[in-house]
Amino acid sequence: MSIAEMTRTHFSAPDGTNQSVIAWVEEIAALTQPDEVVWCNGSPEEADELAELMIEAGTLTRLNDEYRPHSFLARSDPSDVARVESRTFICSVNESDAGPSNNWAAPAEMRTTLDGLFEGAMRGRRLYVVPFSMGPLGSPLAKIGVQVTDSPYVVMSMGIMTRMGTAVLQSIDDSTEWVRAIHSVGAPLAAGDTDVPWPCNQTKYISHFPETREIWSFGSAYGGNAILAKKSFALRIASVIARDEGWLAEHMLLLKLTNPRGRVFHIAAAFPSACGKTNLAMLKPTIPGWKAETIGDDIAWLGKGADGRLRAINPEAGFFGVAPGTGIATNETAMDTIWGNTVFTNVALKDNGDVWWEGMTDEVPEHLIDWQGNDWTPESGTPSSHPNSRFTVAAAQCPTIADEWESPQGVVIDAIIFGGRRATNVPLVVEARDWEHGVYLGATISSERTAAAEGTIGELRRDPFAMMPFCGYNMADHWAHWLSVGQNLRSSGTVPRIFQVNWFRKGADGSFLWPGFGENSRVLEWILERVDGQVAAQESALGLLPREGDLNIDGLDLDENVMEQLFAIDTESWLAEAASTEEFFATFDGRVPAAVTRQLEQLKARLTS
Ligand code: GDP
Ligand code: PGA
Ligand code: MN
């Protein structure tokens, strides 16, 4: 069957498609005026066909099957390389419901703007209908969405990152609540126009309508801007649904750990972007007898199960990981995961038809084609791969994926961990006194600004719950919601413990004090021994700390005083941080819950007592 013939079988909605979906697709098609409407079935043949189309269009290059079977390289437009937070909007009816951490726009005004932009936006292109499930299809914790898009690259990415296809479409009936996601690259083609390999538009909007559970994205085909199942649905829209329904949609990895006594634990950990979620999700423990298995690396949906315990699923089906810095030394599991069946975006191409990026190997190839398609040598003076270049790969391909990663009931969460990138102040590990204190720790996650970020060096960049760019409603209300989820769990008996970790504390010479990566298993060991009731802790102004000698550092070659430095509490700089936290809380117009403000007061009191 030829390409044209094959797609022709997809030109009408499959039998049994709910009328609500058909009517909506017709409405969007009338607005965007595509040449054709293709209903995606999610089959491997369909993905192969899309790949062929994109190779023909110059969007994809097929990699050498010998080194990277069934894998592709995409080079984006150099102006379309990352999520654009400045063009991301929460269009709630009331501005205060978006809160100070979001760009707000009035829904009616935004709709007018978008109607103008989307009118005729798909001319000369195909509109693909992409039905997807976040979470295993049929799981009580899963949610359905349908994305329409004019980008085959986005269809292929959605096919890896979600459970996508006809079965999802056919699960929609009159009573199903499904999320509507509309995406266009914003580059219509007139008759006779030749296309470019990566169509996009300098004007970009990633707009969310939380009340009507809709997403409208225009102008970008990259990552979270365009793969609308991910940050837009699974975090921004889902966080609002979760608030309304009493559960949590969080920027968290999920990890299963088995201790030497055979007890199984599951942890959920929130770290801001680029602070090590994928690394921790694929942890290789260095301490004997421990086993770590992966469940998710970016997003978790958590809620009270029928057994009264906090349970979590990974709503995604794939990883969209940062390539640079991923290598055998830093994340061997990720390297094993991407052996094949992987889409790489904005990495370098080797002369042998395989991919390379900074940090993949110690040895640097003599010649590459860089992410912009130019010849590159080690003397070029620029990185061969874009710093935000990515691999997109099915989670099922991860050699450490846990058996229960698709469990419809989710896994029981034994501990919640918050982390950030802190050169100072925050100790290697601290346990929250209780849930409310834990919510305070989450609300105060931050990183010092480095030279790479705008603003004053050393100033704290706040990223509460690692959700700053991803919470679809007022961040202070998110903290109140966490408090109420804790209360609900307490009423049935089991509340997971909350911890804060910091792999990034630096010594006077500016180097990391803690070896990190696989050695982080030592910190997890202490955390889970606490959960298991095997070890006591000591009080401090910040919370509960390991007693001297309890944290296992056997066989680690640490300099003298490193442990003291990792746990040092400098009263003066902590009081300064508390003052900065007070200023931060003041930006929320009095919406910060009293229980959170009380934690700040108690911290100050403990620091000065
Ligand atoms: P994600 O965006 O949160 O998933 O972050 P990644 O897992 O991609 O990691 C981001 C960066 O943090 C990479 O450069 C890692 O090498 C680095 N990193 C991860 N874990 C550690 C650690 O334990 N110690 C140190 N020093 N760096 C780490
Ligand atoms: P991240 O998300 O910044 O959390 O890695 C990237 C994306 O979804 O584009
Ligand atoms: Mn992320």
Side-chain angles (χ1 to χ4, degrees):
M1 221 191 305
S2 76
I3 287 171
E5 277 172 281
M6 206 183 247
T7 44
R8 229 145 279 281
T9 64
H10 307 181
F11 279 175
S12 54
D15 287 346
T17 302
N18 190 265
Q19 195 51 41
S20 66
V21 183
I22 294 175
W24 173 73
V25 169
E26 279 172 2
E27 188 191 315
I28 301 301
L31 174 67
T32 57
Q33 300 159 36
D35 283 357
E36 296 163 343
V37 173
V38 174
W39 293 74
C40 297
N41 62 20
S43 68
E45 293 75 22
E46 178 182 83
D48 285 343
E49 180 200 340
L50 287 169
E52 288 303 331
L53 281 177
M54 284 189 276
I55 289 168
E56 224 168 278
T59 312
L60 291 187
T61 304
R62 186 183 293 281
L63 298 173
N64 187 335
D65 261 326
E66 203 179 306
Y67 305 105
R68 210 61 68 170
H70 197 253
S71 297
F72 306 93
L73 169 65
R75 292 191 194 106
S76 79
D77 187 279
S79 69
D80 193 24
V81 292
R83 289 187 293 103
V84 229
E85 288 172 15
S86 62
R87 303 303 304 160
T88 301
F89 298 89
I90 300 296
C91 308
S92 46
V93 172
N94 297 314
E95 181 169 6
S96 60
D97 288 336
S101 59
N102 285 309
N103 300 311
W104 176 79
E109 269 172 48
M110 181 60 82
R111 281 186 196 283
T112 307
T113 306
L114 293 172
D115 277 347
L117 290 169
F118 277 86
E119 192 182 342
M122 297 191 187
R123 261 183 229 144
R125 298 190 185 279
R126 276 183 175 164
L127 180 157
Y128 296 93
V129 184
V130 183
F132 61 95
S133 175
M134 298 311 282
L137 186 59
S139 156
L141 297 167
K143 299 272 173 205
I144 304 289
V146 183
Q147 176 165 346
V148 297
T149 177
D150 54 8
S151 162
Y153 169 84
V154 168
V155 178
M156 187 179 246
S157 304
M158 290 281 291
I160 297 172
M161 296 304 296
T162 72
R163 285 114 179 141
M164 187 269 266
T166 306
V168 179
L169 196 58
Q170 288 173 337
S171 77
I172 298 178
D173 61 29
D174 288 342
S175 66
T176 311
E177 286 176 6
W178 51 278
V179 168
R180 288 148 174 81
I182 301 100
H183 171 251
S184 172
V185 295
L189 293 168
D193 274 3
T194 45
D195 205 357
V196 292
W198 188 276
C200 60
N201 194 308
Q202 295 311 311
T203 301
K204 291 178 174 55
Y205 282 89
I206 302 101
S207 299
H208 305 75
F209 298 86
E211 281 96 357
T212 53
R213 324 292 203 218
E214 276 170 275
I215 306 152
W216 288 72
S217 168
F218 181 89
S220 168
Y222 205 89
N225 296 338
I227 304 167
L228 299 181
K230 197 173 175 57
K231 308 295 190 181
S232 285
F233 178 175
L235 289 177
R236 297 194 190 99
I237 295 294
S239 63
V240 175
I241 300 176
R243 177 199 60 191
D244 296 348
E245 296 180 355
W247 50 281
L248 299 164
E250 299 293 326
H251 194 196
M252 288 177 160
L253 67 95
L254 292 170
L255 179 66
K256 172 185 178 184
L257 287 144
T258 308
N259 75 11
R261 299 185 294 275
R263 179 169 170 191
V264 170
F265 303 87
H266 299 97
I267 63 167
F271 294 70
S273 296
C275 289
K277 275 187 306 302
T278 303
N279 265 276
L280 193 60
M282 299 179 180
L283 176 82
K284 273 180 108 82
T286 53
I287 45 175
W290 284 82
K291 186 174 176 190
E293 292 163 88
T294 310
I295 298 176
D297 82 325
D298 196 46
I299 299 176
W301 286 357
L302 312 96
K304 185 165 148 176
D307 55 2
R309 310 201 56 185
L310 185 65
R311 288 177 167 268
I313 59 164
N314 168 12
E316 301 190 275
F319 306 128
F320 181 63
V322 176
T326 305
I328 301 292
T330 54
N331 194 342
E332 192 177 356
T333 307
M335 293 306 292
D336 290 343
T337 305
I338 57 177
W339 61 269
N341 304 321
T342 305
V343 179
F344 298 90
T345 308
N346 288 346
V347 303
L349 181 65
K350 297 206 314 191
D351 292 347
N352 70 1
D354 194 10
V355 286
W356 192 84
W357 50 75
E358 281 66 25
M360 182 199 262
T361 52
D362 288 339
E363 203 179 319
V364 178
E366 309 244 295
H367 176 260
L368 296 163
I369 304 295
D370 75 7
W371 69 276
Q372 300 198 65
N374 301 317
D375 282 305
W376 184 96
T377 69
E379 285 74 50
S380 292
T382 52
S384 67
S385 297
H386 188 277
N388 192 40
S389 56
R390 300 275 174 159
F391 53 80
T392 310
V393 66
Q397 233 173 259
C398 178
T400 59
I401 200 82
D403 282 344
E404 62 267 54
W405 86 279
E406 299 198 274
S407 156
Q409 313 305 324
V411 296
V412 171
I413 296 300
D414 299 283
I416 292 170
I417 300 176
F418 295 119
R421 199 180 266 273
R422 291 298 306 270
T424 66
N425 280 16
V426 176
L428 179 62
V429 59
V430 56
E431 180 181 337
R433 292 195 157 70
D434 52 27
W435 185 271
E436 287 187 4
H437 184 219
V439 171
Y440 176 80
L441 295 179
T444 52
I445 293 183
S446 46
S447 304
E448 282 92 359
R449 273 182 209 278
T450 61
E454 304 156 310
T456 318
I457 292 176
E459 183 195 3
L460 285 186
R461 188 158 50 96
R462 299 279 172 173
D463 193 354
F465 285 80
M467 284 288 278
M468 199 69 156
F470 306 123
C471 187
Y473 61 101
N474 191 300
M475 182 58 80
D477 296 354
H478 179 248
W479 306 339
H481 182 54
W482 265 78
L483 292 169
S484 86
V485 168
Q487 216 150 34
N488 184 18
L489 289 169
R490 209 173 303 136
S491 71
S492 57
T494 41
V495 188
R497 307 249 201 123
I498 302 181
F499 298 81
Q500 179 176 34
V501 299
N502 177 23
W503 317 140
F504 300 96
R505 196 152 176 178
K506 289 182 173 174
D509 66 354
S511 62
F512 292 120
L513 290 164
W514 180 248
F517 302 100
E519 306 296 0
N520 295 333
S521 55
R522 297 166 184 275
V523 175
L524 297 180
E525 177 181 47
W526 182 79
I527 287 173
L528 296 176
E529 290 291 87
R530 287 288 299 154
V531 170
D532 205 17
Q534 302 291 326
V535 65
Q538 57 176 327
E539 286 280 344
S540 80
L542 306 182
L544 302 166
L545 299 179
R547 296 174 310 181
E548 204 168 327
D550 277 351
L551 192 80
N552 173 4
I553 51 168
D554 293 351
L556 270 190
D557 184 23
L558 295 178
D559 286 344
E560 237 182 297
N561 297 330
V562 160
M563 293 310 281
E564 280 107 285
Q565 291 178 64
L566 280 166
F567 287 98
I569 302 174
D570 182 307
T571 304
E572 220 155 275
S573 58
W574 264 106
L575 284 171
E577 180 157 342
S580 140
T581 298
E582 202 162 339
E583 280 171 31
F584 176 59
F585 286 175
T587 63
F588 290 94
D589 299 329
R591 277 167 97 130
V592 176
V596 173
T597 321
R598 197 160 56 233
Q599 288 294 329
L600 173 61
E601 293 314 317
Q602 288 171 2
L603 170 66
K604 287 199 285 191
R606 288 196 302 265
L607 285 166
T608 47
S609 76

